[in-house]
Amino acid sequence: MYAAFLDKTIERLGDRKESLIPILQAIQGEYRYLPQDALQYVCRHTEITPAQIVGVASFYSQFRHTPVGEHLINVCTGTACHVKGATSVFEGFRKHLGICGDADTDQAGRFTVQKIACLGCCTLAPVVQIGRSTYGHLTPNQVGDVIDDFLSKADSNGSATALSMRSGTEIGEVRIGLGSCCQAQGSASIRDELERIVRESGRPIHIKPVGCVGMCHQTPLLETVSQKGVSTFYAKVKPEDVESILFRNFAPRSWTKRTAHRLGNWLSRFWSDEFGDPTTERRIELHKEPVCSFLEPQKSIAMILGGELNPGDFEEYLEKGGFSALKSVIAAGNEDKIIREIEAAGIRGRGGAGFPTFRKWELVREAKSDKKYVICNGDEGDPGAFMDRMLLESYPFRIIEGMTIAARAVGASKGYLYIRAEYPLAVRRVRDAITACKERGFLGENILGSDFSLELSVKEGAGAFVCGEETALLESIEGNRGMPRLRPPYPVERGLWEKPTLINNVETYSLVPWVIAHGGAAFGRLGVEKSKGTKVFALAGKVRRGGLIEVPMGITIREVVETIGGGILDGKRLKAVQIGGPSGGCVPAELSETPIDFESLAAVGAIMGSGGLVVLDEDDCMVDIARYFLQFTQEQSCGKCTFCRVGTKRMLEILDRICEGSGRAGDLENLESLAEQIKLGSLCGLGKTAPNPILSTLRYFRDEYEAHLNGRCPAGKCPSLIEYRINEHCNGCSICSGLCPVGAIPPTPYRRHRIDTALCTKCNSCRAACPHEAIDIVPAQK
């Protein structure tokens, strides 16, 4: 039964070991798991051995070995989702579907529920993905509505890159963001409504999909542009707002149609008791507060033309100056000059390590070999980070241009973009962009008529955080388990298939075209002495205005949180900012004047990382945050190093005890001792940095650890140490009872309610919804 499909797959992907991961991905894509018969067929008809299949299929978390339901529900447990209640949402889905014990699929076989490290939609936390539909800002009591919505609509999100092309006769343009975050907030429905109204009205309006504007807290965001170039922005648009917005900006010439529209609108609002005008309520002014505070401190280089470019329109990218940098370096024919510009710019690797980019390029160029490779590391696995996804989705041509310039500089003729499989829209857009570049002579043989040739292709990751480490990434591309190599030799000397290989991350390549076009000195004038230029951050967590931001290096944490982010949600107090993901650290509020640059962050126990910046407030437990990150790195450890494999497990056991109120004397000292040994004895960056969140929280929040040792969670977060109790303010409205996902609050209308502590999961749904502040969090009774 598998023969026809597998024969075509093997013919398309190849029969060698380096094709193993794509073959397994194709099998799982077709059957939703890896049937044993299919794997045996692969072994019989390729050079791939059973041992290789078992080794790879058991290593990567993407691969499933048992059948799954018709639909897969991925519950994101990234940092932002964790602090906003992802665990309760996960349990809510299981409860709603009747999934018990170790099972992960409902009895009807329709839905399988699983946790996933990060979906890269951190500003919408908690986030869930079902098929190609993404839902944000969820609570446990919403899970039934989410499932119903998914089943009721066509699964078409993200299918379109280009919606309509210009004819030259348009009376204006409407721009709508169709990135993953925007679609999760409903922009695809806005797109559909735009198309319907334009089609039915016959008005020549150009509907244009655009990339990320950065203001994720305002999505869905819609921009109208008149024939004269006047822009008007509308935020948090709903499908029912579209007709009024179009009418206000592109009113029909006919007096009869204008009058009929106004009358119909008035009657609709009259009968619905909604007298607000969406063209006024949804409109935002970029030069006024609070939008000005969000945008003004930023400087766009990697994100230049954000919200203007159609990610899939090659011609528009060309018209806006795209590929001018590539044309100039090909015409100049001076590869050393390219590297000197990168040196003048002072770019340091934006993937987290901060290694001087020019030096890496220089080493690959100097290496003697008949073959060299260039690789884009898009395996953005840090929970709480989504910069690479947004850049890949919004600016695929820019990243390809940066890679092509790098390949020209170092003498590479083959390259790969290694992108997380959890980013399907990014994968599709990059593949489409590569095809467009090949068709127009910007990739392939003799680029732009020169003697320079470059072939690029996409390799999808398979769910291993460790593959963000460059040598583990190389192993994955070669079809192996993603286990880091001993260094030296470094990839610049012996990388992919033992050949010199240049590896930079997505953001680094996205900066290159601007640097070449404007000169390295112009980039170097931004930032601070040892950290030049700009940095893209994913601003998420307990902040008013989350989103994708690009700021000059040296900006302070306070400016990012208070000025750009607008401060903490719900008037709470800033407690800490977690920077750098699982490899980073928690910087307390009292150090918020710390500049964001490589050296300053290292001095306070954090790292730049790839750019995740998660804001924590007074309700967050720092011991729980430390345990969350250690649990993540322990699960993601490849197991090659004893210190990392065993040491992180021992640390996690201690933290589990502390969070459950069973801490022992000497636990904190043991954590510090183990942390230092793991940092010294681990082979790669994952192990060397895994203790950072624990060390930074012990350094700044030791009193919270000591409170846990005494059986108390000051933040009221750790389930084993707290109880929910209804106080005398309860008037028996029963809102809490109706929202409790586990039935822990029996309805007693007009009387004070009680919570069954044996059933309560501490999901906080009742407390968040109570209009009378009648639910307290108190220490658990021992």
Side-chain angles (χ1 to χ4, degrees):
M1 63 178 291
Y2 306 108
F5 170 76
L6 291 175
D7 287 342
K8 290 180 181 178
T9 300
I10 293 167
E11 181 181 359
R12 176 170 56 91
L13 297 174
D15 63 354
R16 299 171 64 85
K17 185 182 70 171
E18 55 263 32
S19 301
L20 173 54
I21 293 176
I23 288 173
L24 294 180
Q25 289 170 327
I27 293 172
Q28 182 152 302
E30 181 72 10
Y31 305 109
R32 302 198 301 279
Y33 79 111
L34 301 179
Q36 284 298 310
D37 291 346
L39 301 182
Q40 291 170 8
Y41 188 94
V42 170
C43 291
R44 291 196 300 269
H45 294 83
T46 68
E47 298 178 9
I48 300 168
T49 67
Q52 290 168 343
I53 286 183
V54 172
V56 168
S58 62
F59 180 82
Y60 295 96
S61 62
Q62 181 188 48
F63 298 125
R64 292 186 59 96
H65 305 276
T66 55
V68 297
E70 184 181 349
H71 306 293
L72 194 61
I73 300 175
N74 289 316
V75 180
C76 180
T77 56
T79 314
C81 291
H82 174 75
V83 301
K84 288 193 171 182
T87 301
S88 296
V89 172
F90 176 77
E91 293 300 333
F93 273 104
R94 289 177 56 86
K95 177 74 175 178
H96 180 81
L97 294 168
I99 301 172
C100 303
D102 295 331
D104 60 5
T105 303
D106 64 353
Q107 291 187 348
R110 297 195 72 189
F111 291 97
T112 294
V113 184
Q114 66 178 12
K115 294 180 180 179
I116 193 166
C118 189
L119 289 172
C121 295
C122 310
T123 56
L124 309 180
V127 178
V128 166
Q129 185 184 74
I130 311 178
R132 285 162 59 184
S133 296
T134 304
Y135 299 87
H137 301 308
L138 294 187
T139 58
N141 56 289
Q142 293 175 313
V143 299
D145 294 336
V146 166
I147 291 174
D148 291 343
D149 179 77
F150 170 77
L151 293 175
S152 68
K153 69 184 183 181
D155 187 19
S156 60
N157 282 6
S159 60
T161 301
L163 302 180
S164 58
M165 301 305 294
R166 286 193 178 279
S167 65
T169 62
E170 291 87 359
I171 60 173
E173 180 174 273
V174 180
R175 299 170 180 171
I176 178 74
L178 287 175
S180 295
C181 287
C182 296
Q183 293 192 45
Q185 287 293 83
S187 67
S189 298
I190 306 296
R191 180 261 323 267
D192 294 342
E193 186 67 3
L194 281 167
E195 290 185 315
R196 183 190 69 78
I197 295 171
V198 169
R199 182 173 58 251
E200 292 179 359
S201 68
R203 301 286 281 163
I205 301 170
H206 178 230
I207 304 171
K208 179 181 179 180
V210 295
C212 179
V213 183
M215 293 188 285
C216 303
H217 59 286
Q218 296 281 33
T219 56
L221 195 68
L222 187 149
E223 179 187 6
T224 62
V225 185
S226 71
Q227 279 183 315
K228 295 181 180 180
V230 178
S231 292
T232 308
F233 285 85
Y234 300 91
K236 299 182 179 179
V237 177
K238 299 177 181 179
E240 55 265 31
D241 302 329
V242 172
E243 188 170 5
S244 292
I245 291 172
L246 288 180
F247 181 85
R248 171 63 63 90
N249 291 275
F250 309 107
R253 292 189 179 92
S254 166
W255 178 88
T256 305
K257 289 184 177 180
R258 292 200 302 271
T259 303
H261 173 83
R262 290 192 178 106
L263 180 60
N265 239 12
W266 184 88
L267 287 172
S268 176
R269 292 199 298 272
F270 177 81
W271 290 112
S272 64
D273 292 328
E274 294 178 2
F275 285 92
D277 179 5
T279 60
T280 301
E281 294 175 350
R282 306 294 184 197
R283 183 170 177 172
I284 59 173
E285 303 284 351
L286 299 189
H287 62 282
K288 295 181 180 179
E289 295 295 339
V291 182
C292 183
S293 292
F294 182 84
L295 296 176
E296 196 171 65
Q298 300 191 48
K299 171 66 177 176
S300 295
I301 293 180
M303 293 172 58
I304 194 169
L305 298 177
E308 295 182 40
L309 287 174
N310 177 343
D313 192 333
F314 178 91
E315 299 302 331
E316 184 186 22
Y317 182 69
L318 212 57
E319 289 171 7
K320 298 287 188 181
F323 290 111
S324 60
L326 176 61
K327 290 176 182 177
S328 70
V329 301
I330 288 179
N334 187 339
E335 289 77 13
D336 186 65
K337 187 175 185 300
I338 302 173
I339 296 177
R340 299 287 73 83
E341 289 292 351
I342 300 300
E343 181 179 12
I347 302 177
R348 295 171 65 175
R350 295 306 196 252
F355 188 82
T357 300
F358 90 91
R359 184 57 184 149
K360 190 180 279 190
W361 289 25
E362 208 169 46
L363 290 169
V364 178
R365 174 152 185 82
E366 293 169 354
K368 304 298 181 184
S369 178
D370 61 334
K371 187 85 171 178
K372 295 179 184 178
Y373 294 94
V374 59
I375 292 175
C376 176
N377 184 348
D379 191 58
E380 179 184 50
D382 286 10
F386 56 95
M387 301 75 56
D388 289 354
R389 176 181 63 76
M390 288 292 212
L391 292 172
L392 289 163
E393 289 179 2
S394 302
Y395 315 104
F397 293 113
R398 183 174 301 156
I399 293 156
I400 289 171
E401 183 179 8
M403 284 188 71
T404 308
I405 291 170
R408 175 71 168 178
V410 304
S413 58
K414 178 76 174 176
Y416 297 95
L417 292 100
Y418 188 92
I419 305 174
R420 297 184 74 207
E422 291 88 342
Y423 294 169
L425 183 57
V427 170
R428 289 199 301 276
R429 287 184 175 173
V430 170
R431 281 184 169 142
D432 289 345
I434 289 173
T435 299
C437 290
K438 286 180 179 178
E439 291 172 351
R440 292 162 176 81
F442 286 80
L443 282 177
E445 295 293 324
N446 304 117
I447 294 174
L448 300 177
S450 70
D451 60 352
F452 169 50
S453 300
L454 177 67
E455 293 291 336
L456 290 182
S457 59
V458 173
K459 288 281 189 179
E460 292 184 54
F465 173 69
V466 71
C467 288
E469 196 277 336
E470 59 182 18
T471 62
L473 182 152
L474 296 176
E475 289 291 325
S476 182
I477 292 178
E478 292 179 5
N480 302 317
R481 296 162 67 93
M483 303 181 79
R485 302 172 180 175
L486 285 167
R487 296 181 301 176
Y490 293 92
V492 293
E493 305 165 86
R494 288 168 55 190
L496 192 62
W497 290 297
E498 301 294 310
K499 301 295 184 181
T501 303
L502 174 66
I503 308 174
N504 286 126
N505 91 316
V506 172
E507 186 182 345
T508 305
Y509 286 124
S510 72
L511 298 171
V512 170
W514 193 96
V515 169
I516 298 301
H518 295 81
F523 187 86
R525 283 193 288 270
L526 299 168
V528 294
E529 183 182 358
K530 293 184 179 180
S531 299
K532 304 290 188 182
T534 61
K535 179 74 186 78
V536 179
F537 285 97
L539 178 61
K542 308 290 186 65
V543 67
R544 292 180 185 272
R545 298 193 290 263
L548 196 70
I549 65 173
E550 184 173 6
V551 294
M553 291 277 205
I555 191 172
T556 65
I557 294 173
R558 182 191 59 77
E559 288 177 276
V560 170
V561 174
E562 295 184 5
T563 303
I564 297 177
I568 309 303
L569 281 169
D570 303 323
K572 299 283 187 177
R573 178 179 55 85
L574 172 66
K575 189 169 191 176
V577 177
Q578 207 286 331
I579 306 179
S583 303
C586 295
V587 182
E590 55 266 29
L591 295 179
S592 60
E593 293 297 334
T594 301
I596 298 178
D597 62 67
F598 289 102
E599 280 69 33
S600 298
L601 289 178
V604 297
I607 66 170
M608 186 81 67
S610 59
L613 199 155
V614 181
V615 179
L616 308 173
D617 70 12
E618 59 192 82
D619 293 336
D620 289 305
C621 171
M622 303 312 294
V623 184
D624 173 70
I625 292 294
R627 176 174 67 163
Y628 162 78
F629 279 114
L630 189 67
Q631 183 177 38
F632 177 83
T633 49
Q634 200 278 322
E635 289 174 351
Q636 295 295 326
S637 172
C638 74
K640 189 171 186 176
C641 307
T642 303
F643 282 95
C644 180
R645 182 182 70 250
V646 179
T648 56
K649 186 174 179 60
R650 293 291 168 263
M651 290 184 75
L652 183 59
E653 290 170 352
I654 294 173
L655 282 172
D656 282 342
R657 284 204 315 268
I658 292 174
C659 288
E660 290 167 3
S662 304
R664 306 168 186 167
D667 274 348
L668 304 189
E669 291 74 18
N670 286 338
L671 282 174
E672 290 171 322
S673 175
L674 282 166
E676 293 303 326
Q677 293 177 57
I678 293 167
K679 292 182 71 163
L680 289 171
S682 296
L683 174 62
C684 81
L686 184 147
K688 289 182 180 297
T689 60
N692 284 353
I694 290 84
L695 291 175
S696 66
T697 50
L698 277 169
R699 178 178 176 181
Y700 299 116
F701 302 97
R702 197 178 190 93
D703 58 327
E704 285 199 31
Y705 280 87
E706 291 170 348
H708 280 70
L709 290 176
N710 293 322
R712 184 172 59 87
C713 177
K717 202 78 171 182
C718 295
S720 298
L721 302 180
I722 61 172
E723 288 180 0
Y724 280 67
R725 186 174 298 167
I726 297 177
N727 61 39
E728 66 278 3
H729 297 300
C730 176
N731 69 352
C733 70
S734 296
I735 290 175
C736 59
S737 177
L739 290 178
C740 181
V742 294
I745 310 177
T748 54
Y750 309 113
R751 289 184 294 154
R752 182 174 172 179
H753 286 61
R754 296 288 184 271
I755 297 176
D756 185 339
T757 57
L759 294 176
C760 179
T761 59
K762 287 92 169 182
C763 71
N764 205 53
S765 292
C766 58
R767 187 165 175 264
C770 179
H772 308 292
E773 298 184 354
I775 302 177
D776 298 323
I777 298 177
V778 299
Q781 299 297 312
K782 295 294 183 180

